Amino acid sequence: MKTAKKKKLEAKGWKVGSAADFLALSPEEAAYIDLKLSLSKRLKEMRTQKKMSQTALAKEIHSSQSRVAKMEAGDASVSLDLLVKSLLAVGASNRDLAKAISSGA
């Protein structure tokens, strides 16, 4: 958020902070969420680069299209295990996984 906008909101009595502040997340919880979101974003990028539909990816990992949509949206019910498995299914290398993880930090 731009500094001028932040000051304007605070002057009107609004409290400005991060989602982690609002939800009272510990640094570990915030890092975990960032990790999942980074992997989710990379999954969608790689799937679309390969011109693969969500349905095709779902068949590859023995899941459903709606589950793939949840993975790409960063749904809290999706495990890290499933995200990594799906990334590997679209051809992610260890380097790709490391890059996705480090981009969220």
Side-chain angles (χ1 to χ4, degrees):
M1 177 181 297
K2 292 183 180 179
T3 306
K5 185 174 183 177
K6 182 179 175 182
K7 287 182 180 179
K8 194 182 228 184
L9 288 170
E10 288 174 333
K12 292 187 178 190
W14 290 93
K15 184 174 181 181
V16 179
S18 68
D21 294 336
F22 179 74
L23 297 171
L25 299 177
S26 70
E28 295 82 12
E29 291 168 325
Y32 180 75
I33 291 169
D34 286 343
L35 171 65
K36 285 182 76 172
L37 291 175
S38 294
L39 293 173
S40 296
K41 179 181 175 188
R42 186 67 183 136
L43 176 62
K44 184 173 184 177
E45 289 170 355
M46 290 190 74
R47 180 186 60 76
T48 56
Q49 285 173 357
K50 299 231 178 219
K51 297 184 180 1
M52 181 183 257
S53 68
Q54 288 181 341
T55 303
L57 176 56
K59 285 180 184 175
E60 184 76 26
I61 61 170
H62 307 288
S63 191
S64 65
Q65 177 276 325
S66 63
R67 196 75 182 143
V68 172
K70 285 182 178 185
M71 283 188 275
E72 292 180 356
D75 189 280
S77 67
V78 175
S79 70
L80 283 176
D81 180 59
L82 186 56
L83 280 169
V84 171
K85 179 182 175 182
S86 301
L87 279 158
L88 294 172
V90 295
S93 65
N94 288 345
R95 186 177 299 258
D96 292 324
L97 293 172
K99 186 177 177 183
I101 290 168
S102 67
S103 71

